[in-house]
Amino acid sequence: MLWTYILKLVVLLPLVCGLMIGCLYAWRKLETRMPGKPSTRLITVKETMMISPGVRLAVLDFEGKRLLVSVARGGVALVDKTDGGFSA
């Protein structure tokens, strides 16, 4: 009787803990995509494009400016910047 309890404890306790951690991870990932939540971030990533392996272009909106940046293994570099006058 005691061995069955210990066996159930050894099997089910890690399973329940794993499910809790998985649910918390999924909640954190999906929380930002929920509708009706106001955006409090100052920077928004509008679009990204892979140019070559390890190099990516990204369009960012920041304080009414649209920035085009190059993201590579060596760092981030500003490619171009425009002020206002774009559709949201």
Side-chain angles (χ1 to χ4, degrees):
M1 176 110 164
L2 181 65
W3 291 108
T4 59
Y5 174 74
I6 292 173
L7 182 62
K8 287 179 185 177
L9 184 68
V10 167
V11 171
L12 293 177
L13 187 63
L15 180 67
V16 170
C17 290
L19 285 172
M20 285 176 26
I21 291 171
C23 286
L24 289 173
Y25 177 77
W27 176 261
R28 198 173 88 194
K29 285 291 186 185
L30 297 175
E31 182 179 26
T32 58
R33 298 181 193 165
M34 289 187 172
K37 184 172 182 164
S39 178
T40 59
R41 296 187 173 254
L42 294 175
I43 298 175
T44 57
V45 179
K46 290 298 184 180
E47 188 174 348
T48 61
M49 178 186 287
M50 178 83 66
I51 299 300
S52 67
V55 179
R56 184 179 294 262
L57 284 178
V59 177
L60 309 173
D61 282 346
F62 175 68
E63 292 185 352
K65 295 182 173 108
R66 186 160 280 181
L67 309 171
L68 178 66
V69 295
S70 171
V71 182
R73 292 183 185 119
V76 178
L78 180 65
V79 176
D80 193 17
K81 172 175 64 169
T82 60
D83 296 329
F86 52 85
S87 62

Coordinates of all heavy atoms in Angstrom, one line a residue:
M1 N 0.8 -1.2 0.0 CA 0.0 0.0 0.0 C 0.9 1.3 0.0 O 0.6 2.2 -0.7 CB -0.9 0.0 1.2 CG -1.7 1.2 1.4 SD -3.4 0.8 1.1 CE -4.2 2.2 1.7
L2 N 1.9 1.3 0.8 CA 2.8 2.4 0.9 C 3.6 2.6 -0.4 O 3.8 3.7 -0.9 CB 3.7 2.3 2.1 CG 4.7 3.4 2.3 CD1 4.0 4.7 2.6 CD2 5.7 3.1 3.4
W3 N 3.9 1.5 -1.0 CA 4.7 1.5 -2.3 C 3.9 2.1 -3.4 O 4.4 2.8 -4.3 CB 5.3 0.1 -2.6 CG 6.3 -0.3 -1.7 CD1 6.2 -1.3 -0.7 CD2 7.6 0.2 -1.5 NE1 7.4 -1.4 0.0 CE2 8.3 -0.4 -0.5 CE3 8.3 1.2 -2.2 CZ2 9.5 -0.2 -0.1 CZ3 9.6 1.5 -1.8 CH2 10.2 0.8 -0.7
T4 N 2.6 1.8 -3.5 CA 1.8 2.3 -4.5 C 1.6 3.8 -4.4 O 1.6 4.6 -5.4 CB 0.4 1.7 -4.5 OG1 -0.2 1.9 -3.3 CG2 0.5 0.2 -4.8
Y5 N 1.5 4.3 -3.1 CA 1.5 5.8 -2.9 C 2.7 6.4 -3.3 O 2.7 7.5 -4.0 CB 1.2 6.0 -1.4 CG 1.3 7.5 -1.1 CD1 0.2 8.4 -1.4 CD2 2.4 8.0 -0.4 CE1 0.3 9.7 -1.1 CE2 2.4 9.4 -0.1 CZ 1.4 10.2 -0.4 OH 1.5 11.5 -0.1
I6 N 3.9 5.9 -3.0 CA 5.2 6.5 -3.3 C 5.4 6.4 -4.9 O 5.8 7.4 -5.5 CB 6.3 5.7 -2.6 CG1 6.3 6.0 -1.1 CG2 7.7 6.1 -3.2 CD1 7.2 5.2 -0.3
L7 N 5.0 5.3 -5.5 CA 5.1 5.2 -7.0 C 4.2 6.3 -7.7 O 4.6 7.0 -8.6 CB 4.6 3.8 -7.4 CG 4.7 3.6 -8.9 CD1 6.2 3.7 -9.4 CD2 4.2 2.2 -9.3
K8 N 3.0 6.5 -7.2 CA 2.1 7.5 -7.7 C 2.7 8.9 -7.5 O 2.6 9.8 -8.4 CB 0.7 7.4 -7.1 CG -0.1 6.3 -7.6 CD -1.5 6.3 -6.9 CE -2.3 5.1 -7.2 NZ -3.5 5.0 -6.5
L9 N 3.3 9.1 -6.4 CA 3.9 10.4 -6.1 C 5.1 10.7 -7.0 O 5.2 11.8 -7.5 CB 4.3 10.4 -4.6 CG 4.9 11.8 -4.1 CD1 3.8 12.8 -4.0 CD2 5.5 11.6 -2.7
V10 N 5.9 9.7 -7.2 CA 7.1 9.9 -8.0 C 6.7 10.1 -9.5 O 7.4 10.8 -10.2 CB 8.0 8.6 -7.9 CG1 9.1 8.6 -9.0 CG2 8.6 8.6 -6.5
V11 N 5.6 9.5 -9.9 CA 5.2 9.7 -11.3 C 4.4 10.9 -11.5 O 4.6 11.7 -12.5 CB 4.4 8.4 -11.8 CG1 3.8 8.6 -13.2 CG2 5.3 7.2 -11.8
L12 N 3.4 11.2 -10.7 CA 2.5 12.3 -10.9 C 3.0 13.7 -10.5 O 2.6 14.7 -11.1 CB 1.1 12.0 -10.2 CG 0.4 10.8 -10.8 CD1 -0.9 10.5 -10.0 CD2 0.0 11.0 -12.2
L13 N 3.8 13.7 -9.5 CA 4.3 15.0 -9.1 C 5.1 15.8 -10.1 O 4.8 16.9 -10.4 CB 5.1 14.9 -7.8 CG 5.5 16.2 -7.1 CD1 4.3 17.0 -6.7 CD2 6.4 15.9 -5.9
P14 N 6.1 15.1 -10.8 CA 6.8 15.8 -11.9 C 5.8 16.1 -13.1 O 6.0 17.2 -13.7 CB 7.9 14.8 -12.3 CG 8.0 13.9 -11.2 CD 6.7 13.8 -10.5
L15 N 4.9 15.3 -13.3 CA 3.9 15.5 -14.4 C 3.1 16.8 -14.1 O 2.9 17.7 -15.0 CB 3.0 14.3 -14.6 CG 1.9 14.5 -15.7 CD1 2.6 14.5 -17.0 CD2 1.0 13.3 -15.6
V16 N 2.6 16.9 -12.9 CA 1.8 18.1 -12.6 C 2.7 19.4 -12.6 O 2.2 20.4 -13.1 CB 1.1 17.9 -11.2 CG1 0.5 19.2 -10.7 CG2 0.1 16.8 -11.3
C17 N 3.9 19.3 -12.0 CA 4.8 20.4 -12.0 C 5.1 20.8 -13.5 O 5.2 22.0 -13.8 CB 6.0 20.1 -11.3 SG 5.8 20.0 -9.5
G18 N 5.4 19.9 -14.3 CA 5.6 20.2 -15.7 C 4.5 20.9 -16.4 O 4.7 21.8 -17.2
L19 N 3.3 20.4 -16.2 CA 2.1 21.0 -16.7 C 1.9 22.5 -16.2 O 1.6 23.3 -17.0 CB 0.8 20.2 -16.4 CG 0.7 18.9 -17.2 CD1 -0.5 18.1 -16.6 CD2 0.4 19.2 -18.7
M20 N 2.2 22.7 -15.0 CA 2.1 24.1 -14.5 C 3.1 25.0 -15.1 O 2.8 26.1 -15.5 CB 2.3 24.1 -12.9 CG 1.1 23.5 -12.2 SD 1.3 23.4 -10.4 CE 2.5 24.6 -10.0
I21 N 4.3 24.5 -15.2 CA 5.4 25.3 -15.9 C 5.0 25.6 -17.3 O 5.2 26.7 -17.9 CB 6.7 24.7 -15.7 CG1 7.2 24.7 -14.2 CG2 7.8 25.3 -16.6 CD1 8.4 23.9 -13.9
G22 N 4.5 24.6 -18.0 CA 4.1 24.7 -19.4 C 3.0 25.7 -19.6 O 3.0 26.5 -20.5
C23 N 2.0 25.7 -18.7 CA 0.9 26.6 -18.8 C 1.4 28.1 -18.5 O 0.9 29.0 -19.2 CB -0.2 26.3 -17.8 SG -1.1 24.8 -18.3
L24 N 2.3 28.2 -17.6 CA 2.8 29.6 -17.3 C 3.6 30.1 -18.5 O 3.5 31.3 -18.8 CB 3.6 29.6 -16.0 CG 2.8 29.4 -14.7 CD1 3.8 29.2 -13.5 CD2 1.9 30.5 -14.5
Y25 N 4.4 29.3 -19.1 CA 5.2 29.7 -20.2 C 4.3 30.1 -21.4 O 4.5 31.1 -22.0 CB 6.1 28.5 -20.7 CG 6.9 28.8 -21.9 CD1 8.0 29.6 -21.8 CD2 6.6 28.3 -23.1 CE1 8.8 29.9 -23.0 CE2 7.3 28.6 -24.3 CZ 8.4 29.4 -24.2 OH 9.1 29.6 -25.3
A26 N 3.2 29.3 -21.7 CA 2.3 29.6 -22.8 C 1.5 30.8 -22.5 O 1.3 31.7 -23.4 CB 1.3 28.4 -23.0
W27 N 1.1 31.1 -21.2 CA 0.4 32.3 -20.9 C 1.3 33.5 -21.1 O 0.8 34.5 -21.7 CB 0.0 32.2 -19.4 CG -0.6 33.5 -19.0 CD1 -0.1 34.5 -18.3 CD2 -2.0 33.9 -19.2 NE1 -0.9 35.6 -18.1 CE2 -2.1 35.2 -18.7 CE3 -3.1 33.4 -19.9 CZ2 -3.3 35.9 -18.7 CZ3 -4.2 34.1 -19.9 CH2 -4.4 35.3 -19.4
R28 N 2.6 33.4 -20.8 CA 3.5 34.6 -21.0 C 3.7 34.9 -22.4 O 3.8 36.0 -22.8 CB 4.8 34.3 -20.3 CG 5.6 35.5 -20.1 CD 6.8 35.2 -19.2 NE 7.9 34.9 -20.2 CZ 9.0 34.3 -19.8 NH1 9.3 34.0 -18.6 NH2 9.9 34.0 -20.7
K29 N 3.8 33.8 -23.3 CA 3.9 34.0 -24.7 C 2.7 34.6 -25.4 O 2.8 35.4 -26.2 CB 4.3 32.7 -25.4 CG 5.7 32.3 -25.1 CD 6.7 33.2 -25.9 CE 8.1 32.7 -25.8 NZ 9.0 33.6 -26.3
L30 N 1.5 34.1 -24.9 CA 0.3 34.5 -25.6 C -0.3 35.8 -25.0 O -1.3 36.3 -25.6 CB -0.7 33.4 -25.5 CG -0.3 32.1 -26.3 CD1 -1.3 31.0 -26.0 CD2 -0.2 32.4 -27.7
E31 N 0.1 36.2 -23.9 CA -0.4 37.4 -23.2 C -0.4 38.6 -24.0 O -1.3 39.5 -24.0 CB 0.3 37.6 -21.9 CG -0.2 38.7 -21.0 CD 0.6 38.9 -19.7 OE1 1.7 38.4 -19.7 OE2 0.0 39.4 -18.8
T32 N 0.7 38.8 -24.8 CA 0.9 40.0 -25.6 C 0.0 40.1 -26.8 O -0.2 41.1 -27.4 CB 2.3 40.2 -26.0 OG1 2.7 39.1 -26.8 CG2 3.3 40.4 -24.8
R33 N -0.5 38.9 -27.2 CA -1.4 38.8 -28.4 C -2.8 38.9 -28.1 O -3.7 38.9 -29.0 CB -1.1 37.5 -29.1 CG 0.3 37.4 -29.6 CD 0.5 36.1 -30.3 NE 1.9 35.8 -30.5 CZ 2.4 34.6 -30.8 NH1 1.6 33.6 -31.0 NH2 3.7 34.5 -30.9
M34 N -3.2 39.1 -26.9 CA -4.6 39.1 -26.5 C -5.3 40.4 -27.0 O -4.7 41.5 -26.8 CB -4.8 38.9 -25.0 CG -4.5 37.6 -24.5 SD -4.9 37.4 -22.8 CE -4.7 35.7 -22.6
P35 N -6.5 40.3 -27.6 CA -7.1 41.6 -28.0 C -7.6 42.4 -26.9 O -7.9 41.9 -25.8 CB -8.3 41.0 -28.9 CG -8.6 39.7 -28.3 CD -7.2 39.1 -27.8
G36 N -7.7 43.7 -27.1 CA -8.2 44.6 -26.1 C -7.2 45.1 -25.1 O -7.5 45.9 -24.3
K37 N -6.0 44.6 -25.2 CA -5.0 45.0 -24.3 C -4.3 46.2 -24.9 O -3.7 46.1 -26.0 CB -4.0 43.9 -24.0 CG -3.0 44.3 -23.0 CD -2.1 43.1 -22.6 CE -1.2 43.5 -21.5 NZ -0.6 42.4 -20.8
P38 N -4.2 47.4 -24.2 CA -3.6 48.5 -24.8 C -2.1 48.3 -24.9 O -1.5 47.7 -24.0 CB -3.9 49.7 -23.8 CG -4.2 49.0 -22.5 CD -4.8 47.6 -22.9
S39 N -1.5 48.8 -25.9 CA 0.0 48.6 -26.1 C 0.7 49.7 -25.3 O 0.5 50.9 -25.4 CB 0.3 48.8 -27.6 OG 1.7 48.7 -27.8
T40 N 1.5 49.3 -24.4 CA 2.3 50.2 -23.6 C 3.8 50.2 -24.0 O 4.6 50.9 -23.3 CB 2.2 49.7 -22.1 OG1 2.7 48.4 -22.0 CG2 0.8 49.8 -21.6
R41 N 4.1 49.6 -25.1 CA 5.5 49.6 -25.5 C 5.8 50.8 -26.3 O 5.0 51.3 -27.1 CB 5.8 48.3 -26.3 CG 5.6 47.0 -25.5 CD 6.1 45.9 -26.3 NE 6.1 44.7 -25.5 CZ 7.2 44.1 -25.0 NH1 8.3 44.6 -25.4 NH2 7.1 43.1 -24.3
L42 N 7.0 51.3 -26.2 CA 7.4 52.5 -27.0 C 7.9 52.1 -28.4 O 7.8 52.9 -29.3 CB 8.6 53.2 -26.2 CG 8.2 53.8 -24.9 CD1 9.4 54.4 -24.2 CD2 7.2 54.9 -25.1
I43 N 8.4 50.9 -28.5 CA 8.9 50.4 -29.8 C 8.0 49.3 -30.3 O 7.7 48.4 -29.5 CB 10.4 49.9 -29.7 CG1 11.3 51.1 -29.2 CG2 10.9 49.4 -31.0 CD1 12.7 50.6 -28.9
T44 N 7.6 49.4 -31.6 CA 6.9 48.3 -32.2 C 7.7 47.8 -33.4 O 8.1 48.6 -34.2 CB 5.5 48.7 -32.6 OG1 5.5 49.8 -33.4 CG2 4.6 49.0 -31.4
V45 N 7.8 46.5 -33.6 CA 8.4 45.9 -34.8 C 7.3 45.7 -35.8 O 6.4 44.9 -35.6 CB 9.1 44.6 -34.4 CG1 9.7 44.0 -35.7 CG2 10.1 44.8 -33.3
K46 N 7.4 46.4 -36.9 CA 6.4 46.3 -37.9 C 6.6 45.1 -38.9 O 5.7 44.4 -39.2 CB 6.3 47.6 -38.8 CG 5.8 48.8 -38.0 CD 4.3 48.5 -37.6 CE 3.7 49.7 -37.0 NZ 2.4 49.5 -36.5
E47 N 7.8 44.9 -39.3 CA 8.1 43.8 -40.2 C 9.6 43.5 -40.1 O 10.4 44.4 -39.8 CB 7.8 44.3 -41.6 CG 7.9 43.2 -42.6 CD 7.4 43.6 -44.0 OE1 6.8 44.6 -44.1 OE2 7.6 42.8 -44.9
T48 N 9.9 42.2 -40.4 CA 11.3 41.8 -40.5 C 11.5 41.0 -41.8 O 10.5 40.4 -42.3 CB 11.8 40.9 -39.3 OG1 11.0 39.8 -39.3 CG2 11.7 41.7 -38.0
M49 N 12.7 41.0 -42.3 CA 13.0 40.3 -43.5 C 14.4 39.7 -43.4 O 15.3 40.5 -43.1 CB 12.8 41.2 -44.7 CG 13.2 40.4 -46.0 SD 13.2 41.5 -47.5 CE 11.4 41.8 -47.7
M50 N 14.5 38.4 -43.7 CA 15.9 37.8 -43.8 C 16.5 38.2 -45.1 O 16.0 37.9 -46.1 CB 15.7 36.3 -43.7 CG 17.0 35.5 -43.7 SD 17.9 35.4 -42.2 CE 16.8 34.4 -41.2
I51 N 17.7 38.8 -45.0 CA 18.5 39.1 -46.2 C 19.4 38.0 -46.6 O 19.5 37.6 -47.7 CB 19.2 40.4 -45.9 CG1 18.3 41.6 -45.6 CG2 20.1 40.8 -47.1 CD1 17.3 41.9 -46.7
S52 N 20.1 37.5 -45.6 CA 21.0 36.4 -45.8 C 21.1 35.7 -44.4 O 20.7 36.2 -43.4 CB 22.4 36.8 -46.3 OG 23.1 37.6 -45.3
P53 N 21.7 34.5 -44.4 CA 21.9 33.8 -43.1 C 22.6 34.7 -42.1 O 23.8 35.1 -42.4 CB 22.7 32.6 -43.4 CG 22.4 32.3 -44.9 CD 22.2 33.7 -45.5
G54 N 22.0 35.0 -41.0 CA 22.6 35.8 -40.0 C 22.4 37.3 -40.1 O 22.8 38.1 -39.3
V55 N 21.8 37.8 -41.2 CA 21.5 39.2 -41.4 C 20.0 39.4 -41.7 O 19.4 38.7 -42.5 CB 22.3 39.8 -42.6 CG1 22.0 41.2 -42.8 CG2 23.8 39.6 -42.4
R56 N 19.4 40.3 -41.0 CA 18.0 40.6 -41.1 C 17.7 42.1 -41.1 O 18.4 42.8 -40.4 CB 17.3 39.9 -39.9 CG 15.8 40.0 -39.8 CD 15.3 39.3 -38.6 NE 15.6 37.8 -38.6 CZ 14.7 36.9 -39.0 NH1 13.5 37.3 -39.4 NH2 15.0 35.6 -39.0
L57 N 16.8 42.5 -41.8 CA 16.3 43.9 -41.8 C 15.0 44.0 -41.0 O 14.2 43.1 -41.1 CB 16.0 44.4 -43.2 CG 17.2 44.8 -44.1 CD1 16.7 45.2 -45.5 CD2 18.0 45.8 -43.5
A58 N 14.9 45.0 -40.2 CA 13.7 45.2 -39.4 C 13.2 46.6 -39.5 O 14.0 47.6 -39.5 CB 14.0 44.9 -37.9
V59 N 11.9 46.8 -39.6 CA 11.2 48.1 -39.6 C 10.6 48.3 -38.2 O 9.8 47.5 -37.7 CB 10.1 48.2 -40.7 CG1 9.4 49.5 -40.6 CG2 10.7 47.9 -42.1
L60 N 11.0 49.4 -37.6 CA 10.6 49.7 -36.2 C 9.9 51.1 -36.2 O 10.3 52.0 -36.9 CB 11.8 49.8 -35.3 CG 12.8 48.6 -35.2 CD1 14.0 49.0 -34.4 CD2 12.1 47.4 -34.8
D61 N 8.9 51.2 -35.3 CA 8.2 52.5 -35.1 C 8.6 52.9 -33.7 O 8.5 52.2 -32.7 CB 6.7 52.4 -35.2 CG 6.2 52.4 -36.6 OD1 7.0 52.7 -37.5 OD2 5.1 52.0 -36.8
F62 N 9.1 54.2 -33.6 CA 9.6 54.7 -32.3 C 9.3 56.2 -32.3 O 9.9 56.9 -33.1 CB 11.1 54.4 -32.1 CG 11.6 55.0 -30.8 CD1 11.2 54.5 -29.6 CD2 12.6 56.0 -30.9 CE1 11.8 55.1 -28.4 CE2 13.1 56.6 -29.7 CZ 12.7 56.1 -28.5
E63 N 8.5 56.6 -31.4 CA 8.2 58.1 -31.2 C 7.9 58.8 -32.5 O 8.4 59.9 -32.8 CB 9.3 58.8 -30.4 CG 9.5 58.3 -29.0 CD 10.6 59.1 -28.3 OE1 11.3 59.9 -28.9 OE2 10.7 58.9 -27.0
G64 N 7.0 58.2 -33.3 CA 6.5 58.9 -34.5 C 7.5 58.8 -35.6 O 7.3 59.4 -36.7
K65 N 8.6 58.0 -35.4 CA 9.6 57.8 -36.5 C 9.6 56.4 -36.9 O 9.4 55.5 -36.1 CB 11.0 58.2 -36.0 CG 11.1 59.7 -35.7 CD 12.5 60.0 -35.2 CE 12.6 61.5 -35.1 NZ 12.7 61.9 -33.8
R66 N 9.8 56.1 -38.2 CA 10.0 54.8 -38.7 C 11.5 54.5 -39.0 O 12.1 55.3 -39.7 CB 9.1 54.6 -39.9 CG 9.1 53.1 -40.4 CD 8.0 52.8 -41.2 NE 6.8 52.6 -40.4 CZ 5.6 52.3 -40.9 NH1 5.4 52.2 -42.2 NH2 4.6 52.1 -40.1
L67 N 12.0 53.5 -38.4 CA 13.5 53.2 -38.5 C 13.6 51.9 -39.2 O 12.9 50.9 -39.0 CB 14.1 53.1 -37.1 CG 13.9 54.2 -36.1 CD1 14.4 53.8 -34.8 CD2 14.5 55.5 -36.6
L68 N 14.6 51.8 -40.2 CA 15.0 50.6 -40.8 C 16.4 50.3 -40.3 O 17.3 51.0 -40.4 CB 15.1 50.8 -42.3 CG 15.6 49.6 -43.1 CD1 14.6 48.5 -43.0 CD2 15.8 50.0 -44.6
V69 N 16.5 49.1 -39.6 CA 17.7 48.7 -39.0 C 18.2 47.3 -39.6 O 17.3 46.5 -40.0 CB 17.6 48.6 -37.5 CG1 17.4 49.9 -36.9 CG2 16.6 47.6 -37.0
S70 N 19.5 47.1 -39.6 CA 20.1 45.9 -40.0 C 20.5 45.2 -38.7 O 21.2 45.7 -37.9 CB 21.2 46.1 -40.9 OG 22.0 44.9 -41.1
V71 N 20.1 43.9 -38.6 CA 20.4 43.1 -37.4 C 21.3 42.0 -37.8 O 20.8 41.2 -38.7 CB 19.1 42.6 -36.7 CG1 19.5 41.8 -35.4 CG2 18.2 43.8 -36.3
A72 N 22.5 41.9 -37.3 CA 23.4 40.9 -37.7 C 24.1 40.3 -36.4 O 23.9 40.8 -35.3 CB 24.5 41.4 -38.7
R73 N 24.9 39.3 -36.6 CA 25.6 38.8 -35.5 C 26.5 39.8 -34.8 O 26.7 39.7 -33.6 CB 26.5 37.6 -35.9 CG 25.6 36.4 -36.4 CD 26.5 35.2 -36.8 NE 25.6 34.2 -37.3 CZ 25.7 33.7 -38.5 NH1 26.7 34.1 -39.3 NH2 24.9 32.7 -38.9
G74 N 27.0 40.7 -35.6 CA 27.9 41.7 -35.0 C 27.2 42.9 -34.3 O 27.9 43.6 -33.6
G75 N 25.9 43.0 -34.5 CA 25.2 44.1 -33.8 C 24.1 44.6 -34.7 O 23.7 44.0 -35.6
V76 N 23.6 45.8 -34.3 CA 22.5 46.4 -34.9 C 23.0 47.8 -35.5 O 23.7 48.5 -34.8 CB 21.3 46.7 -33.9 CG1 20.2 47.4 -34.6 CG2 20.8 45.4 -33.3
A77 N 22.6 48.0 -36.8 CA 23.0 49.3 -37.4 C 21.8 50.0 -38.0 O 20.9 49.3 -38.6 CB 24.0 49.0 -38.5
L78 N 21.7 51.3 -37.9 CA 20.6 52.1 -38.5 C 20.9 52.2 -39.9 O 22.0 52.7 -40.3 CB 20.5 53.4 -37.8 CG 19.5 54.4 -38.3 CD1 18.1 53.8 -38.0 CD2 19.6 55.7 -37.7
V79 N 19.9 51.8 -40.8 CA 20.1 52.0 -42.2 C 19.4 53.2 -42.7 O 20.0 54.0 -43.5 CB 19.5 50.7 -42.9 CG1 19.5 50.9 -44.4 CG2 20.2 49.5 -42.5
D80 N 18.2 53.5 -42.3 CA 17.4 54.7 -42.7 C 16.4 55.1 -41.7 O 16.0 54.3 -40.9 CB 16.7 54.3 -44.1 CG 16.2 55.6 -44.8 OD1 16.7 56.7 -44.4 OD2 15.3 55.5 -45.6
K81 N 16.0 56.4 -41.7 CA 15.0 56.9 -40.7 C 14.1 57.8 -41.5 O 14.6 58.7 -42.3 CB 15.8 57.6 -39.6 CG 14.9 58.3 -38.7 CD 15.7 58.9 -37.5 CE 16.7 60.0 -38.0 NZ 17.2 60.8 -36.9
T82 N 12.8 57.7 -41.2 CA 11.8 58.7 -41.7 C 11.0 59.3 -40.6 O 10.7 58.6 -39.6 CB 10.9 58.0 -42.8 OG1 10.2 57.0 -42.1 CG2 11.6 57.4 -43.9
D83 N 10.6 60.5 -40.7 CA 9.8 61.2 -39.8 C 8.4 61.2 -40.2 O 8.1 61.4 -41.4 CB 10.2 62.7 -39.6 CG 11.6 62.8 -39.1 OD1 12.0 61.9 -38.3 OD2 12.3 63.8 -39.4
G84 N 7.4 60.8 -39.3 CA 6.0 60.9 -39.6 C 5.6 60.7 -41.0 O 6.4 60.2 -41.9
G85 N 4.3 61.0 -41.4 CA 3.9 60.9 -42.7 C 3.7 59.5 -43.3 O 3.6 59.3 -44.4
F86 N 3.5 58.5 -42.4 CA 3.3 57.2 -42.9 C 2.0 56.7 -42.3 O 1.5 57.2 -41.2 CB 4.4 56.2 -42.5 CG 4.8 56.2 -41.0 CD1 4.1 55.5 -40.1 CD2 5.8 57.0 -40.5 CE1 4.4 55.5 -38.8 CE2 6.1 57.1 -39.2 CZ 5.4 56.3 -38.3
S87 N 1.3 55.7 -42.9 CA 0.1 55.2 -42.4 C 0.3 54.1 -41.4 O 1.3 53.3 -41.5 CB -0.7 54.6 -43.6 OG 0.0 53.6 -44.2
A88 N -0.5 54.1 -40.3 CA -0.2 53.2 -39.2 C -0.8 51.9 -39.5 O -1.5 51.4 -40.1 CB -0.8 53.7 -37.9

